[in-house]
C-alpha cells in the first residue's frame, strides 16, 4: 500500500507542477493551445459567418487553431454566460453582438449573468448600418414622403422586425417616437423572414441589414433611407434618417469579449492581432460582401467601453418606453 | 430551346473533373453525417465553410450543396435500419422502412429509398430549371393566413397517420402542439413552459423529440424480450422485387409532386412534405392497413417528397436571395463570402454559376445512388451484429449527435426523458407520429394565426377572403369529413350490435 | 400495433385507454398549472397564453373522454412493464450528459456504453468493457478528429 501511496503522491506532484508550468506558460506564450471562440447564435447567421472568417484569419496570426463553437439560445445569454464563467486565460472568447450587452439586461427579467460587469470587452470587430425600405406598392418615393404617408395612414402601416426586442424592432420604435408616427409591429423569426414578408407585402415597412441590398437594387423593395451617421458609398442616393432627425443612428456591432481577468499581456497580444485582421483588405472584402453595409470597426478599448455604455442607455430608454419584458 | 442551352452550359460546368470531385466529396461527407443520427448538415457546413474560402465559387457551392442533399439521403439509411431518424425529414421513413427491415426487407427498403430519391431529384432539378420564377411567385403569395390554413390542413392530415384509435391520435396531436409551444413566443417574446431552463428558451429541439420517441424508445422496447430482438431476421434479397417496384412507382410520382411544391415554401415546407406525401398515400390506398406494417409506398412516397423538397427549397434562395431554412442561410453566407450576392439577378448575371449548380444537383443525386446502392449490402450486414453489441453503439451515436446540435448536455438528458415517454406511449397504445407532426406544426400555426389577426386588425374573415387560404381550408374540411364519417358509422354500427 | 401482444379487455377497469387518458389529462393539467399566469388576450388579439390554455383544456377534456371510453367500452389490456432497460438506458444518457463537459468524450462514452450494456439481457463484463473501449476510441476518431466537432476528449 505504501508504495502505491508514494507513487500517487509523486504523480500528484508532477501533475501540480505541470499544471503550474502550463499556467505560467500561458502567460509567457499565449496562445499555447486551441482557442474556443463561442458564438452565442446558431450556425449560419451573421455573427457565425463573422466568426468563421475572423477565426480563420486570427488562427493564422496567433499560430493556434480557433475552434468556433455555436452556443445559441436566449438571444445570446447562454453563450455569454458560458464565456463569463470560463477560465480567464484568453483561450475561451466570445464573439457577441451588441444586443447581448446593451439590450438583454433591459429585456430579461432574470439574467444568468451581468454582461456589463462579467464580460470584458476586448475589441470591436465589424459594424453594419440598416436600410429602411417599403414594399414597392406603397406609394412613396422618398423618406420625407414616407413620414407624411405614415402619419396620415389609417389604418396605420405595419412593419416587420427580426424579433421582439431586436435592434430592428427598437430602431423602428425610436424612429416612430422621433417622427411622431404610428406603425404596428409584427415580429418574425429572424431578419430573412421579415424581409420576405416585406417583399410579399405582408408588412409594408421593414428595417433590415445589408443582406437586403440586392432586393433594393432589384426593385423588390423600395429603399428610403439608411441608418448610419453618413450616407453609404454604395447607395449615395439614399439619405440618412439622421438628416431629418439629427442624432438618429442605428448600428449593429459585433465584438470580441472574454471573461474578466484575462492577463494584460494576453489582452495586448489579442488586441494587436485583431486589429491587424481588421485592417487586412481580404477580411474587409469578405465582411463587406456578407452585407453591403458591413465594415470592420476599429476602436480603442476606451472607445469600445464608451460605445457599450451609450448603447446600453439608449436601448434601455426605448425598452422602458415601449415596455418589452421577457419573463 | 433556351432551356437546353442553359442545361448544356450547366453540365459543361458541373462535369469538369474538379467540380465532379468536389461534388463527390460533398456527397460522401453528406452521406456520412446523414447516417450518423443527430449530426446535422448545419454543423458540418458551418465547420467546412472556412475551407471553401480557397475554392472557386462554383466548386465551393457544389460541395456544400452536395453535403446538404447527401445528408438527406443518408438520414433514411439510419431510419430504415434502426428506427433512428438521422435527419428530421426521415421521421416518416421510420414508420414503414423500419418495419420492412424487421421483416428482412431492409435491402429492398434501402434500394427503394435510393431510387425514389434519385427520381425525385431528377424531376425537382428540372422543376428548378423550368419553373423557378412562377414557383417563387407562388411562394410570395403565401402570407400568414395561407400558412395558417396550410398548417390546419396538415394537422387534420396528421390524424390520418395514426393506425389505431382516432381519439388517442387526436390527443397526441394536441400534446405535440403544446410541446411545440415551449420556449420564447415569437409574437410577444414571452417565455412559456421553460421552467427557468436556458435550453428550453428556444424550444425543445425537434431531433431531441424525434430521436427520443422513435430511436431510444425502440431500443427500450427491443430490450424487453430476453433473447433480444430480431437480430437474426433472415436477410432477404438486396433489391426490390418486381411487385414492390410496381407499388413504389406511382407513390414516387405523387411524392415527387407534393415535395416539389411544398419545398418552395419557406419555414417548414420541406419538412411537411414527407408527412404530407405519406398521409396522402395512406388516404388513397385501398389497403391503408398495410401502412405502418412495411408498406413499400410508405417508404417511396416520403423519400421522394423529402428529396424533391430539399431540392426545390433552393428556389427561394436562387431567385429571391431569401433563405428558407438555416442551412440555406448558411449557403447564402457562403455565396456572399465568395463575392456572389444571391438574389433576383444571379440567373442573368452569372448564368454559368446558376446553371452549373443546378446541373450539379442532378449529378450529385446520381452519384449518391451510385455510392449508396453497393453499400446496401454492407448496411444490411450491420443488422447481423448481435443486438447486445449494436444497441450501446446506437445510444452512443445518438448522445453525441444530440450534443452536437447545440453543444448542449441538457438536450442529451432531455432525449432520455423523451425516450422514456416514448416507451410509456408504446405501452399505452399511443403512436408517436401524430405527436411529431403536431410538434412541427404547433409553433408555426400559432405564430401565423396570431400574425394574420394582428395584420387584419382582428378580422377572422381574412382566412376565408383569400382564395388560396379558402381552398386549403375547404380541402381540410373535406378531409375531416372523410376521416370522421367512417369512424362515426363504425361506432354506430358497434352500438347497434351491442344494443 | 401488431407487436403489442395485448388481449382485449383483460382488465376491464385498468386498461391502456384509461391510463393513456389519465396521462393526456395530466399533461393538460400541467399545461394549465404552469401557464395560468400567461396573458390570455382575446380571440382576435391573442396573448401568449391563449393557445396554450386552449390546448391544455382540450387535452384535459379529451383525456377525460378517453378514460371514460376505457372504463365503459373497455380497451386493450396492459402488458408487463420492464423497468430495468428503461432506467438503465436513460441513466446511460444522463451519465453521458453529466460527464461529457467535465471529463471529456472518452470517459463519457465508456460510462454510457457500460451502463447501457447493463440494460441488456445478456450482460458480460469482459465483452462490455471491450465494447466500451472500442466505441470510445471510434467516437473520438470519428467525431473529434474526423468531423472536428468541438468537444473535450480528456478531463484535462
Amino acid at each position: 500500500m505504501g508504495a502505491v501511496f508514494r507513487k500517487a503522491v509523486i504523480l500528484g506532484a508532477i501533475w501540480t507542477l505541470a499544471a503550474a508550468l502550463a499556467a505560467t506558460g500561458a502567460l509567457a506564450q499565449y496562445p499555447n493551445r486551441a482557442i474556443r471562440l463561442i458564438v452565442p447564435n446558431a450556425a449560419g447567421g451573421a455573427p457565425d459567418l463573422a466568426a468563421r472568417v475572423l477565426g480563420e484569419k486570427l488562427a493564422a496570426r496567433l499560430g493556434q487553431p480557433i475552434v468556433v463553437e455555436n452556443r445559441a439560445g436566449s438571444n445570446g445569454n447562454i453563450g455569454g454566460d458560458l464565456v463569463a464563467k470560463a477560465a480567464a486565460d484568453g483561450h475561451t472568447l466570445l464573439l457577441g453582438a451588441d444586443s447581448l450587452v446593451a439590450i438583454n439586461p433591459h429585456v430579461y427579467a432574470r439574467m444568468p449573468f451581468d454582461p456589463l460587469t462579467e464580460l470584458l470587452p476586448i475589441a470591436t470587430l465589424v459594424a453594419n448600418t440598416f436600410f429602411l425600405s417599403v414594399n414597392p406598392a406603397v406609394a412613396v418615393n422618398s423618406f420625407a414622403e414616407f413620414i407624411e404617408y405614415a402619419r396620415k395612414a389609417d389604418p396605420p402601416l405595419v412593419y416587420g422586425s427580426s424579433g421582439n426586442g431586436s435592434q430592428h424592432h427598437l430602431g423602428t420604435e425610436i424612429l416612430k417616437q422621433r417622427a411622431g408616427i404610428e406603425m404596428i409591429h409584427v415580429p418574425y423569426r429572424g431578419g430573412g423572414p421579415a424581409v420576405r414578408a416585406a417583399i410579399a407585402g405582408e408588412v409594408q415597412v421593414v428595417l433590415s441589414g445589408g443582406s437586403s441590398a440586392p432586393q433594393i437594387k432589384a426593385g423588390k423593395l423600395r429603399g428610403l433611407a439608411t441608418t448610419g451617421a453618413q450616407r453609404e458609398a454604395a447607395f449615395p442616393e439614399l439619405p440618412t434618417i439622421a438628416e431629418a432627425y439629427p442624432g438618429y443612428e442605428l448600428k449593429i456591432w459585433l465584438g470580441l469579449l472574454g471573461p474578466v481577468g484575462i492577463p494584460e499581456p494576453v489582452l495586448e497580444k489579442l488586441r494587436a492581432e485583431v486589429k491587424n485582421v481588421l485592417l487586412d483588405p481580404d477580411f474587409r472584402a469578405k465582411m463587406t460582401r456578407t452585407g453591403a453595409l458591413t465594415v470592420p470597426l476599429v476602436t480603442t478599448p476606451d472607445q469600445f467601453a464608451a460605445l457599450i455604455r451609450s448603447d446600453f442607455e439608449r436601448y434601455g430608454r426605448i425598452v422602458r418606453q415601449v415596455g418589452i419584458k421577457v419573463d | 430551346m433556351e432551356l437546353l442551352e442553359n442545361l448544356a452550359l450547366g453540365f459543361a460546368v458541373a462535369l469538369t473533373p474538379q467540380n465532379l470531385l468536389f461534388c463527390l466529396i460533398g456527397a460522401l461527407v453528406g452521406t456520412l453525417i446523414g447516417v450518423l443520427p443527430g449530426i446535422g448538415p448545419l454543423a458540418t457546413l458551418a465547420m467546412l465553410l472556412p475551407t471553401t474560402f480557397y475554392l472557386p465559387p462554383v466548386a465551393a457551392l457544389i460541395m456544400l450543396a452536395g453535403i446538404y442533399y447527401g445528408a438527406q439521403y443518408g438520414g433514411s439509411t439510419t431510419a430504415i435500419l434502426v428506427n433512428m431518424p438521422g435527419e428530421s425529414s426521415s421521421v416518416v421513413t421510420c414508420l414503414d422502412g423500419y418495419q420492412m427491415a424487421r421483416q428482412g426487407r431492409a435491402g429492398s427498403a434501402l434500394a427503394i429509398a435510393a431510387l425514389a430519391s434519385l427520381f425525385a431529384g431528377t424531376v425537382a432539378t428540372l422543376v428548378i430549371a423550368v419553373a423557378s420564377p412562377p414557383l417563387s411567385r407562388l411562394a410570395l403569395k403565401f402570407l400568414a393566413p395561407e400558412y395558417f390554413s396550410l398548417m390546419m390542413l396538415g394537422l387534420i392530415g396528421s390524424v390520418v397517420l395514426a393506425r389505431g384509435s382516432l381519439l388517442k391520435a387526436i390527443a397526441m396531436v394536441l400534446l405535440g402542439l403544446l410541446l411545440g409551444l415551449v420556449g420564447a413566443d415569437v409574437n410577444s417574446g414571452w417565455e412559456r413552459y421553460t421552467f427557468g431552463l436556458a435550453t428550453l428558451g428556444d424550444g425543445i429541439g425537434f431531433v431531441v423529440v424525434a430521436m427520443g420517441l422513435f430511436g431510444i424508445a425502440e431500443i427500450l422496447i427491443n430490450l424487453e424480450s430476453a433473447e433480444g430482438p430480431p437480430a437474426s431476421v433472415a436477410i432477404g434479397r438486396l433489391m426490390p422485387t418486381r411487385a414492390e417496384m410496381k407499388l413504389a412507382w406511382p407513390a414516387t410520382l405523387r411524392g415527387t409532386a407534393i415535395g416539389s411544391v411544398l419545398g418552395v415554401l419557406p419555414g417548414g415546407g420541406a419538412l411537411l412534405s414527407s408527412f404530407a406525401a405519406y398521409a396522402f398515400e395512406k388516404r388513397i390506398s385501398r389497403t391503408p392497413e398495410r401502412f405502418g406494417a412495411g408498406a413499400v409506398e410508405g417508404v417511396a412516397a416520403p423519400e421522394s417528397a423529402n428529396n424533391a423538397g430539399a431540392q426545390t427549397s433552393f428556389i427561394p434562395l436562387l431567385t429571391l436571395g431569401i433563405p428558407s431554412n438555416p442551412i440555406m442561410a448558411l449557403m447564402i453566407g457562403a455565396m456572399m463570402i465568395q463575392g456572389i450576392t444571391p438574389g433576383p439577378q444571379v440567373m442573368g448575371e452569372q448564368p454559368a454559376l446558376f446553371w452549373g449548380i443546378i446541373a450539379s444537383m442532378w449529378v450529385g443525386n446520381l452519384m449518391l445512388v451510385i455510392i449508396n446502392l453497393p453499400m446496401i449490402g454492407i448496411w444490411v450486414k450491420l443488422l447481423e451484429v448481435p443486438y447486445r453489441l449494436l444497441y450501446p453503439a446506437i445510444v452512443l451515436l445518438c448522445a453525441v449527435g444530440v450534443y452536437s446540435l447545440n453543444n448542449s448536455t441538457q438536450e442529451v438528458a432531455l432525449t432520455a426523458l423523451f425516450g422514456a415517454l416514448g416507451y410509456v406511449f408504446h405501452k399505452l397504445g399511443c403512436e408517436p407520429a401524430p405527436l411529431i407532426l403536431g410538434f412541427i406544426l404547433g409553433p408555426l400555426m400559432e405564430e401565423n394565426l396570431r400574425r394574420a389577426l394582428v395584420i387584419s386588425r382582428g378580422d377572422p374573415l381574412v382566412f376565408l377572403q383569400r382564395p388560396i387560404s379558402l381552398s386549403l381550408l375547404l380541402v381540410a374540411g373535406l378531409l375531416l369529413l372523410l376521416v370522421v364519417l367512417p369512424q362515426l358509422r363504425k361506432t354506430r354500427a358497434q352500438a347497434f350490435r351491442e344494443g | 400495433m401488431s407487436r403489442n401482444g395485448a388481449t382485449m379487455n383483460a382488465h376491464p377497469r385498468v386498461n391502456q385507454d384509461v391510463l393513456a387518458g389519465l396521462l393526456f389529462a395530466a399533461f393538460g393539467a400541467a399545461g394549465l398549472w404552469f401557464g395560468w399566469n400567461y396573458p390570455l388576450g382575446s380571440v382576435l388579439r391573442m396573448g401568449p397564453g391563449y393557445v396554450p390554455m386552449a390546448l391544455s383544456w382540450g387535452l384535459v377534456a379529451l383525456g377525460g373522454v378517453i378514460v371514460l371510453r376505457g372504463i365503459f367500452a373497455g380497451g386493450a389490456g396492459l402488458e408487463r412493464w420492464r423497468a430495468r432497460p428503461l432506467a438503465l438506458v436513460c441513466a446511460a444518457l444522463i451519465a453521458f450528459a453529466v460527464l461529457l463537459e467535465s471529463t471529456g468524450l472518452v470517459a463519457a462514452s465508456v460510462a454510457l456504453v457500460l451502463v447501457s450494456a447493463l440494460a441488456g439481457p445478456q450482460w458480460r463484463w469482459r465483452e462490455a468493457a471491450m465494447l466500451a473501449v472500442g466505441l470510445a476510441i471510434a467516437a473520438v476518431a470519428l467525431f473529434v478528429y474526423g468531423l472536428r466537432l468541438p468537444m473535450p476528449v480528456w478531463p484535462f
Side-chain angles (χ1 to χ4, degrees):
Chain A
M1 281 309 278
V4 174
F5 181 73
R6 210 171 311 130
K7 258 189 200 158
V9 169
I10 293 170
L11 211 62
I14 292 173
W15 264 115
T16 323
L17 199 68
L21 276 175
T24 46
L27 284 181
Q29 233 181 11
Y30 170 82
N32 56 4
R33 57 193 156 88
I35 297 173
R36 291 166 80 195
L37 181 56
I38 308 290
V39 176
N41 311 83
D48 181 58
L49 288 177
R52 308 274 166 194
V53 180
L54 176 85
E56 203 248 348
K57 296 260 173 214
L58 203 56
R61 289 183 175 276
L62 292 173
Q64 286 286 351
I66 293 186
V67 183
V68 176
E69 203 173 315
N70 299 92
R71 296 268 182 166
S74 300
N75 283 322
N77 282 351
I78 291 183
D81 187 42
L82 184 139
V83 174
K85 294 187 170 62
D89 56 7
H91 288 96
T92 309
L93 302 171
L94 177 78
L95 193 146
D98 49 359
S99 56
L100 170 63
V101 199
I103 301 180
N104 285 12
H106 301 296
V107 173
Y108 282 86
R110 292 182 301 269
M111 285 290 287
F113 71 110
D114 180 0
L116 287 182
T117 57
E118 291 179 52
L119 281 180
L120 175 76
I122 298 172
T124 51
L125 300 173
V126 290
N128 72 297
T129 46
F130 284 10
F131 288 104
L132 177 74
S133 52
V134 291
N135 180 283
V138 179
V140 296
N141 289 307
S142 69
F143 180 66
E145 277 178 45
F146 164 73
I147 294 293
E148 273 319 296
Y149 186 88
R151 189 167 288 141
K152 292 201 193 94
D154 183 39
L157 293 177
V158 178
Y159 77 93
S161 85
S162 65
N164 252 294
S166 61
Q167 295 95 328
H168 311 63
H169 173 201
L170 299 179
T172 317
E173 290 297 328
I174 296 176
L175 174 65
K176 274 167 64 177
Q177 276 190 351
R178 291 290 304 270
I181 54 176
E182 177 51 31
M183 288 194 285
I184 294 169
H185 175 220
V186 175
Y188 287 83
R189 282 178 201 266
V195 170
R196 187 190 99 92
I199 295 175
E202 181 162 83
V203 297
Q204 285 106 34
V205 188
V206 73
L207 198 59
S208 55
S211 59
S212 50
Q215 321 296 340
I216 291 173
K217 286 245 152 98
K220 305 261 174 196
L221 285 175
R222 185 173 296 137
L224 297 175
T226 54
T227 65
Q230 286 99 35
R231 293 193 179 202
E232 301 295 329
F235 290 84
E237 71 282 8
L238 294 184
T240 66
I241 294 181
E243 288 172 30
Y245 302 101
Y248 182 98
E249 193 184 346
L250 189 68
K251 200 174 233 178
I252 291 192
W253 50 261
L254 298 175
L256 192 65
L257 303 110
V260 174
I262 297 179
E264 202 53 43
V266 172
L267 269 182
E268 269 170 30
K269 181 158 189 186
L270 259 176
R271 283 178 172 145
E273 291 301 351
V274 168
K275 189 174 173 188
N276 285 334
V277 172
L278 297 188
L279 297 175
D280 175 351
D282 184 52
F283 177 79
R284 186 184 189 87
K286 285 200 165 79
M287 288 322 298
T288 311
R289 285 177 197 154
T290 63
L293 309 185
T294 306
V295 286
L297 177 63
V298 183
T299 56
T300 65
D302 289 341
Q303 285 170 328
F304 190 11
L307 178 64
I308 291 178
R309 252 193 326 276
S310 76
D311 274 359
F312 179 80
E313 279 158 22
R314 193 164 58 116
Y315 286 126
R317 265 196 308 281
I318 192 77
V319 166
R320 281 187 295 278
Q321 281 156 359
V322 180
I324 304 162
K325 205 83 212 168
V326 177
D327 281 295
Chain B
M1 284 301 96
E2 203 191 336
L3 176 65
L4 283 184
E5 273 169 42
N6 287 333
L7 284 179
L9 172 67
F11 279 106
V13 175
L15 294 178
T16 61
Q18 189 197 21
N19 288 341
L20 273 178
L21 177 68
F22 283 109
C23 191
L24 179 68
I25 294 174
L28 280 175
V29 173
T31 307
L32 174 67
I33 61 171
V35 168
L36 296 172
I39 309 278
L42 190 60
T44 317
L45 288 174
M47 199 222 45
L48 282 176
L49 192 59
T51 60
T52 66
F53 294 167
Y54 304 104
L55 300 179
V58 182
L61 290 171
I62 284 177
M63 185 176 85
L64 292 176
I67 294 174
Y68 172 58
Y69 43 72
Q72 308 279 336
Y73 233 89
S76 52
T77 306
T78 330
I80 291 170
L81 292 177
V82 293
N83 203 36
M84 188 72 81
E87 300 301 317
S88 44
S89 49
S90 48
V91 170
V92 191
T93 311
C94 286
L95 300 178
D96 279 281
Y98 181 63
Q99 292 305 322
M100 284 181 75
R102 291 178 71 95
Q103 296 160 5
R105 292 154 70 204
S108 289
L110 288 170
I112 283 172
L115 294 172
S117 295
L118 172 65
F119 175 80
T122 309
V123 174
T125 305
L126 275 175
V127 167
I128 296 180
V130 178
S132 279
L135 277 174
S136 60
R137 273 197 299 277
L138 171 76
L140 281 181
K141 286 214 173 68
F142 262 74
L143 305 185
E146 283 79 16
Y147 269 105
F148 172 75
S149 302
L150 178 71
M151 301 301 155
M152 200 72 196
L153 176 60
L155 212 54
I156 290 170
S158 69
V159 178
V160 177
L161 286 174
R163 309 188 65 219
S165 150
L166 185 66
L167 274 183
K168 282 199 261 185
I170 297 173
M172 288 295 268
V173 173
L174 288 185
L175 184 56
L177 288 169
L178 191 62
L179 289 173
L181 298 184
V182 171
D185 166 35
V186 174
N187 281 282
S188 66
W190 199 283
E191 289 203 350
R192 299 182 292 196
Y193 304 121
T194 56
F195 308 105
L197 284 176
T199 306
L200 294 179
D202 292 325
I204 305 171
F206 175 84
V207 175
V208 170
V209 179
M211 287 236 257
L213 290 184
F214 281 87
I216 299 292
E218 183 61 32
I219 289 174
L220 293 173
I221 295 159
N222 283 338
L223 287 178
E224 298 218 306
S225 54
E227 68 277 20
S232 44
V233 276
I235 287 160
R237 40 191 302 149
L238 292 182
M239 285 295 127
T241 61
R242 193 173 280 266
E244 284 173 329
M245 290 299 267
K246 225 172 141 186
L247 284 171
W249 176 241
T252 304
L253 277 179
R254 290 185 287 262
T256 304
I258 291 173
S260 300
V261 174
L262 285 180
V264 183
L265 301 176
L271 202 55
L272 206 59
S273 63
S274 54
F275 281 93
Y278 184 89
F280 188 73
E281 283 308 311
K282 189 175 172 188
R283 187 68 244 168
I284 62 165
S285 169
R286 290 217 188 88
T287 50
E289 64 280 358
R290 288 188 304 115
F291 282 76
V296 177
E297 307 96 297
V299 174
E303 277 301 310
S304 54
N306 154 29
N307 207 38
Q311 217 87 302
T312 55
S313 62
F314 274 89
I315 287 181
L317 179 141
L318 289 170
T319 59
L320 297 169
I322 295 174
S324 48
N325 54 44
I327 294 167
M328 290 296 128
L330 209 137
M331 295 286 292
I332 287 196
M335 289 170 107
M336 291 198 290
I337 287 174
Q338 291 280 3
I340 304 154
T341 317
Q345 71 291 351
V346 168
M347 208 192 295
E349 285 174 9
Q350 285 169 306
L353 175 93
F354 183 87
W355 294 104
I357 291 175
I358 288 179
S360 82
M361 287 178 181
W362 186 78
V363 176
N365 270 289
L366 188 66
M367 263 182 200
L368 281 169
V369 169
I370 296 173
I371 296 169
N372 277 298
L373 281 184
M375 295 224 310
I376 289 177
I378 303 172
W379 290 127
V380 172
K381 281 270 183 307
L382 200 67
L383 291 180
E384 287 178 337
V385 175
Y387 196 67
R388 63 173 199 281
L389 301 179
L390 188 59
Y391 83 85
I394 301 173
V395 178
L396 179 61
L397 285 178
C398 169
V400 180
V402 168
Y403 176 76
S404 76
L405 292 172
N406 289 314
N407 297 313
S408 161
T409 53
Q410 288 181 17
E411 293 201 330
V412 180
L414 208 56
T415 309
L417 186 70
F418 276 98
L421 196 60
Y423 176 78
V424 173
F425 282 142
H426 174 80
K427 287 288 173 189
L428 299 179
C430 303
E431 291 159 57
L435 185 146
I436 295 271
L437 191 54
F439 180 79
I440 298 172
L441 294 178
L444 292 169
M445 195 162 162
E446 190 211 17
E447 188 184 320
N448 283 295
L449 169 64
R450 288 167 62 188
R451 185 175 293 147
L453 288 172
V454 167
I455 292 172
S456 71
R457 280 165 298 279
D459 180 6
L461 288 179
V462 68
F463 298 104
L464 304 177
Q465 284 159 345
R466 304 174 55 93
I468 298 179
S469 169
L470 178 66
S471 1
L472 287 169
L473 284 178
L474 285 177
V475 176
L478 198 69
L479 190 59
L480 187 66
L481 282 181
L482 283 175
V483 174
V484 173
L485 277 185
Q487 203 79 19
L488 282 180
R489 219 172 292 137
K490 217 187 307 169
T491 13
R492 285 221 332 259
Q494 246 167 16
F496 282 128
R497 220 179 314 136
E498 283 165 16
Chain C
M1 282 228 170
S2 50
R3 281 185 288 151
N4 227 336
T7 47
M8 287 295 277
N9 293 332
H11 304 277
R13 288 292 173 255
V14 183
N15 53 41
Q16 288 188 1
D17 279 14
V18 172
L19 286 187
L22 285 176
L23 182 65
F24 289 128
F27 270 110
L32 291 173
W33 175 263
F34 291 107
W36 200 252
N37 293 324
Y38 302 164
L40 278 178
S42 66
V43 183
L44 299 180
R45 187 84 215 203
M46 293 177 188
Y50 196 93
V51 176
M53 283 296 115
L55 289 173
S56 300
W57 281 118
L59 269 176
V60 171
L62 199 57
V65 172
I66 294 172
V67 170
L68 291 178
R69 197 186 61 167
I71 292 176
F72 293 110
L78 292 172
E79 294 174 77
R80 219 161 76 81
W81 292 49
R82 292 206 37 203
R84 184 185 156 98
L86 178 68
L88 285 173
V89 171
C90 291
L93 281 169
I94 289 167
F96 181 88
V98 171
L99 291 174
L100 180 62
E101 286 183 358
S102 51
T103 63
L105 181 60
V106 172
S109 304
V110 168
L112 179 141
V113 174
L114 285 181
V115 176
S116 64
L118 263 174
Q122 304 137 311
W123 159 257
R124 297 173 208 159
W125 257 113
R126 275 178 59 96
E127 192 181 83
M130 278 161 61
L131 185 66
V133 172
L135 285 177
I137 293 171
V140 171
L142 180 60
F143 295 110
V144 178
Y145 292 101
L147 292 172
R148 278 192 263 159
L149 295 177
M151 53 179 83
V153 178
W154 302 109
F156 33 83

